[in-house]
Amino acid sequence: MKTSVMSERLNLVKLQEGLRTRLFGRSVFFSEEVASTNEWAKKLASQGAREGWVAIAGTQTHGRGRLDREWISPLGGLWFSLILRPKRRLTKPANLTFVASLAVAETLHEQYGLRTQTKWPNDVLVNERKICGIFGEASTLGKKINTFVLGIGINANFDAERVFPESIRAMTTSLETELNRRIQLEELFIRLLEKLEATYLHYTKRGFSSILKQWKKYADFLGQRVEVTDRNEKVTGLAFDVDKDGALILLQDDGACKHVFAGDVSLRTK
Ligand code: BTN
């Protein structure tokens, strides 16, 4: 195998080589290091960046996740943000994160044969451990979403055991850890952008229900006992289903049925 194939560093030319998309990744902004690609993409969007443009970095010094959490982003990971400007009146931006997690789950499965799982609301796991996080941020104009920045982080070419602190080590993994080898990051990026564009177009034409149906095929947590935590309370119950709006349907121990909406909740399978 050539050294370049094993390299942790991204090669800008290779990020677009053979890319078969109409819009996604047609413009790619690359930096060795940024604070957060989401912040960078939001700035680019405010300066007029078009749908499909991407900000990607080798490392992030202040990578961010949901619930204002830090996202550890060492060299060797795939850290990027995609700018979307949905034309339809889309009142549920959270749907777009389902589009993204489905695309990631399918890509990692198809490219590397991994048995990927989607975990509500928008994580992708392998062997019950998180391999990818997705952080979508919408800016609205009236009721219509003006811009949606879709931040995707995939733990790729680094040893998860070595990189992550003790507190999250048991819950996280990486492609290198799962495959016992390094992958070509640029190729993963290209295949993922192709899948993202196809899944996004499918969503805009056919609607959310069709995406959700596919997403559920990977949702192994359904039917399991889970604990849902928001800032103030913990609720346990059976993860029964995800409703047509993307809310988790939780059958609580007292028999009550709760629809939990994405935003300020995290979910731990028990
Ligand atoms: C989460 O699981 O909480 C979401 C994590 C999302 C991380 C990605 S990495 C690229 C983009 N830039 C960021 O600062 N965050 C997202």
Short mmCIF file of all heavy atoms in Angstrom, two decimals, residues 236-268:
data_model
loop_
_atom_site.label_atom_id
_atom_site.label_comp_id
_atom_site.label_asym_id
_atom_site.label_seq_id
_atom_site.Cartn_x
_atom_site.Cartn_y
_atom_site.Cartn_z
N THR A 236 -36.93 6.54 31.82
CA THR A 236 -36.58 5.24 31.26
C THR A 236 -37.83 4.59 30.68
O THR A 236 -38.95 4.90 31.06
CB THR A 236 -36.00 4.29 32.34
OG1 THR A 236 -36.91 4.24 33.42
CG2 THR A 236 -34.63 4.71 32.79
N GLY A 237 -37.60 3.70 29.77
CA GLY A 237 -38.73 3.02 29.15
C GLY A 237 -38.28 2.21 27.95
O GLY A 237 -37.08 2.01 27.73
N LEU A 238 -39.25 1.78 27.18
CA LEU A 238 -38.96 0.99 25.98
C LEU A 238 -38.97 1.93 24.77
O LEU A 238 -39.93 2.67 24.56
CB LEU A 238 -40.05 -0.08 25.82
CG LEU A 238 -39.78 -1.09 24.73
CD1 LEU A 238 -38.85 -2.19 25.23
CD2 LEU A 238 -41.09 -1.69 24.25
N ALA A 239 -37.88 1.88 24.00
CA ALA A 239 -37.85 2.67 22.75
C ALA A 239 -38.78 1.96 21.77
O ALA A 239 -38.40 0.96 21.15
CB ALA A 239 -36.44 2.75 22.22
N PHE A 240 -39.99 2.46 21.64
CA PHE A 240 -41.01 1.73 20.90
C PHE A 240 -40.92 2.00 19.39
O PHE A 240 -40.97 1.09 18.58
CB PHE A 240 -42.39 2.13 21.44
CG PHE A 240 -43.52 1.44 20.75
CD1 PHE A 240 -43.68 0.06 20.85
CD2 PHE A 240 -44.42 2.15 19.97
CE1 PHE A 240 -44.71 -0.58 20.19
CE2 PHE A 240 -45.45 1.52 19.30
CZ PHE A 240 -45.60 0.15 19.42
N ASP A 241 -40.76 3.28 19.05
CA ASP A 241 -40.73 3.62 17.62
C ASP A 241 -40.26 5.06 17.47
O ASP A 241 -40.06 5.77 18.46
CB ASP A 241 -42.16 3.47 17.04
CG ASP A 241 -42.15 3.27 15.52
OD1 ASP A 241 -41.07 3.33 14.91
OD2 ASP A 241 -43.24 3.06 14.95
N VAL A 242 -40.12 5.49 16.23
CA VAL A 242 -39.87 6.90 15.94
C VAL A 242 -41.06 7.36 15.10
O VAL A 242 -41.41 6.69 14.12
CB VAL A 242 -38.53 7.08 15.18
CG1 VAL A 242 -38.34 8.53 14.75
CG2 VAL A 242 -37.35 6.64 16.05
N ASP A 243 -41.70 8.45 15.51
CA ASP A 243 -42.94 8.84 14.81
C ASP A 243 -42.66 9.58 13.50
O ASP A 243 -41.51 9.83 13.16
CB ASP A 243 -43.88 9.60 15.76
CG ASP A 243 -43.43 11.04 16.03
OD1 ASP A 243 -42.53 11.54 15.32
OD2 ASP A 243 -44.00 11.65 16.96
N LYS A 244 -43.71 9.93 12.81
CA LYS A 244 -43.56 10.50 11.47
C LYS A 244 -42.82 11.84 11.45
O LYS A 244 -42.35 12.29 10.41
CB LYS A 244 -44.93 10.65 10.79
CG LYS A 244 -45.87 11.62 11.49
CD LYS A 244 -47.14 11.76 10.72
CE LYS A 244 -48.12 12.75 11.29
NZ LYS A 244 -47.65 13.83 12.11
N ASP A 245 -42.69 12.46 12.64
CA ASP A 245 -41.95 13.73 12.73
C ASP A 245 -40.52 13.53 13.23
O ASP A 245 -39.79 14.50 13.43
CB ASP A 245 -42.68 14.69 13.68
CG ASP A 245 -44.07 15.02 13.18
OD1 ASP A 245 -44.20 15.25 11.96
OD2 ASP A 245 -45.02 15.01 13.98
N GLY A 246 -40.15 12.29 13.51
CA GLY A 246 -38.79 12.03 13.99
C GLY A 246 -38.69 12.02 15.51
O GLY A 246 -37.59 11.92 16.05
N ALA A 247 -39.81 12.12 16.22
CA ALA A 247 -39.76 12.05 17.68
C ALA A 247 -39.70 10.60 18.13
O ALA A 247 -40.30 9.72 17.51
CB ALA A 247 -40.99 12.73 18.27
N LEU A 248 -38.98 10.39 19.22
CA LEU A 248 -38.88 9.04 19.78
C LEU A 248 -40.14 8.72 20.58
O LEU A 248 -40.56 9.52 21.43
CB LEU A 248 -37.66 8.96 20.70
CG LEU A 248 -37.47 7.66 21.48
CD1 LEU A 248 -37.10 6.52 20.54
CD2 LEU A 248 -36.40 7.84 22.54
N ILE A 249 -40.76 7.57 20.30
CA ILE A 249 -41.92 7.16 21.09
C ILE A 249 -41.41 6.24 22.20
O ILE A 249 -40.88 5.15 21.94
CB ILE A 249 -42.97 6.42 20.24
CG1 ILE A 249 -43.37 7.29 19.03
CG2 ILE A 249 -44.19 6.07 21.09
CD1 ILE A 249 -44.37 6.61 18.10
N LEU A 250 -41.56 6.72 23.41
CA LEU A 250 -41.05 6.00 24.58
C LEU A 250 -42.21 5.46 25.39
O LEU A 250 -43.10 6.22 25.80
CB LEU A 250 -40.23 6.98 25.42
CG LEU A 250 -39.40 6.40 26.55
CD1 LEU A 250 -38.21 5.63 25.98
CD2 LEU A 250 -38.90 7.53 27.46
N LEU A 251 -42.21 4.13 25.60
CA LEU A 251 -43.24 3.55 26.47
C LEU A 251 -42.68 3.52 27.88
O LEU A 251 -41.77 2.74 28.19
CB LEU A 251 -43.58 2.12 26.04
CG LEU A 251 -44.39 1.93 24.78
CD1 LEU A 251 -44.71 0.46 24.58
CD2 LEU A 251 -45.68 2.74 24.84
N GLN A 252 -43.18 4.40 28.71
CA GLN A 252 -42.63 4.53 30.05
C GLN A 252 -43.07 3.38 30.95
O GLN A 252 -44.06 2.70 30.67
CB GLN A 252 -43.05 5.86 30.66
CG GLN A 252 -42.35 7.04 30.01
CD GLN A 252 -42.86 8.36 30.53
OE1 GLN A 252 -43.38 9.16 29.78
NE2 GLN A 252 -42.74 8.57 31.83
N ASP A 253 -42.33 3.20 32.04
CA ASP A 253 -42.61 2.08 32.95
C ASP A 253 -44.00 2.18 33.56
O ASP A 253 -44.60 1.17 33.90
CB ASP A 253 -41.53 2.01 34.05
CG ASP A 253 -40.17 1.74 33.44
OD1 ASP A 253 -40.12 1.27 32.28
OD2 ASP A 253 -39.15 2.00 34.10
N ASP A 254 -44.50 3.41 33.70
CA ASP A 254 -45.85 3.57 34.29
C ASP A 254 -46.94 3.41 33.23
O ASP A 254 -48.11 3.68 33.48
CB ASP A 254 -45.97 4.94 34.96
CG ASP A 254 -45.76 6.09 33.97
OD1 ASP A 254 -45.64 5.81 32.76
OD2 ASP A 254 -45.72 7.26 34.40
N GLY A 255 -46.56 3.01 32.03
CA GLY A 255 -47.54 2.75 30.98
C GLY A 255 -47.80 3.95 30.08
O GLY A 255 -48.42 3.82 29.02
N ALA A 256 -47.30 5.11 30.49
CA ALA A 256 -47.53 6.31 29.67
C ALA A 256 -46.67 6.26 28.41
O ALA A 256 -45.60 5.64 28.38
CB ALA A 256 -47.20 7.55 30.48
N CYS A 257 -47.15 6.92 27.39
CA CYS A 257 -46.45 6.96 26.12
C CYS A 257 -45.98 8.39 25.88
O CYS A 257 -46.79 9.31 25.84
CB CYS A 257 -47.45 6.50 25.04
SG CYS A 257 -46.77 6.44 23.44
N LYS A 258 -44.68 8.53 25.74
CA LYS A 258 -44.14 9.89 25.62
C LYS A 258 -43.47 10.05 24.26
O LYS A 258 -42.71 9.18 23.83
CB LYS A 258 -43.11 10.06 26.74
CG LYS A 258 -42.61 11.48 26.96
CD LYS A 258 -41.61 11.45 28.14
CE LYS A 258 -40.82 12.73 28.23
NZ LYS A 258 -41.41 13.74 29.09
N HIS A 259 -43.76 11.17 23.60
CA HIS A 259 -43.08 11.47 22.33
C HIS A 259 -41.95 12.46 22.66
O HIS A 259 -42.22 13.57 23.07
CB HIS A 259 -44.03 12.08 21.31
CG HIS A 259 -45.01 11.08 20.77
ND1 HIS A 259 -45.10 10.78 19.42
CD2 HIS A 259 -45.91 10.30 21.40
CE1 HIS A 259 -46.03 9.84 19.26
NE2 HIS A 259 -46.54 9.55 20.45
N VAL A 260 -40.73 12.02 22.47
CA VAL A 260 -39.60 12.87 22.83
C VAL A 260 -39.03 13.49 21.56
O VAL A 260 -38.70 12.78 20.62
CB VAL A 260 -38.49 12.04 23.53
CG1 VAL A 260 -37.42 12.96 24.09
CG2 VAL A 260 -39.09 11.17 24.62
N PHE A 261 -38.93 14.81 21.55
CA PHE A 261 -38.44 15.49 20.36
C PHE A 261 -36.94 15.73 20.43
O PHE A 261 -36.39 15.94 21.50
CB PHE A 261 -39.18 16.81 20.15
CG PHE A 261 -40.59 16.57 19.70
CD1 PHE A 261 -41.61 16.40 20.63
CD2 PHE A 261 -40.89 16.45 18.35
CE1 PHE A 261 -42.90 16.13 20.23
CE2 PHE A 261 -42.18 16.18 17.95
CZ PHE A 261 -43.20 16.02 18.88
N ALA A 262 -36.30 15.68 19.29
CA ALA A 262 -34.86 15.92 19.24
C ALA A 262 -34.58 17.34 19.69
O ALA A 262 -35.43 18.22 19.59
CB ALA A 262 -34.35 15.72 17.83
N GLY A 263 -33.40 17.55 20.17
CA GLY A 263 -33.03 18.91 20.56
C GLY A 263 -32.23 18.88 21.83
O GLY A 263 -31.03 19.12 21.82
N ASP A 264 -32.86 18.54 22.92
CA ASP A 264 -32.14 18.60 24.19
C ASP A 264 -32.18 17.27 24.93
O ASP A 264 -32.28 17.22 26.13
CB ASP A 264 -32.72 19.70 25.06
CG ASP A 264 -34.19 19.48 25.34
OD1 ASP A 264 -34.77 18.58 24.72
OD2 ASP A 264 -34.74 20.20 26.18
N VAL A 265 -32.12 16.21 24.18
CA VAL A 265 -32.12 14.90 24.83
C VAL A 265 -30.98 14.02 24.33
O VAL A 265 -30.53 14.16 23.20
CB VAL A 265 -33.45 14.14 24.59
CG1 VAL A 265 -34.56 14.70 25.42
CG2 VAL A 265 -33.78 14.12 23.14
N SER A 266 -30.52 13.18 25.19
CA SER A 266 -29.56 12.17 24.75
C SER A 266 -30.12 10.82 25.18
O SER A 266 -30.95 10.76 26.07
CB SER A 266 -28.19 12.41 25.37
OG SER A 266 -28.27 12.25 26.76
N LEU A 267 -29.65 9.80 24.55
CA LEU A 267 -30.27 8.50 24.80
C LEU A 267 -29.19 7.46 25.06
O LEU A 267 -28.22 7.40 24.36
CB LEU A 267 -31.09 8.16 23.58
CG LEU A 267 -31.82 6.85 23.48
CD1 LEU A 267 -33.04 7.03 22.61
CD2 LEU A 267 -30.93 5.80 22.87
N ARG A 268 -29.38 6.71 26.11
CA ARG A 268 -28.41 5.65 26.42
C ARG A 268 -29.16 4.33 26.48
O ARG A 268 -30.14 4.20 27.19
CB ARG A 268 -27.80 5.95 27.77
CG ARG A 268 -26.63 5.07 28.09
CD ARG A 268 -25.99 5.46 29.39
NE ARG A 268 -25.69 6.89 29.46
CZ ARG A 268 -25.81 7.62 30.58
NH1 ARG A 268 -26.22 7.07 31.68
NH2 ARG A 268 -25.52 8.90 30.57
#
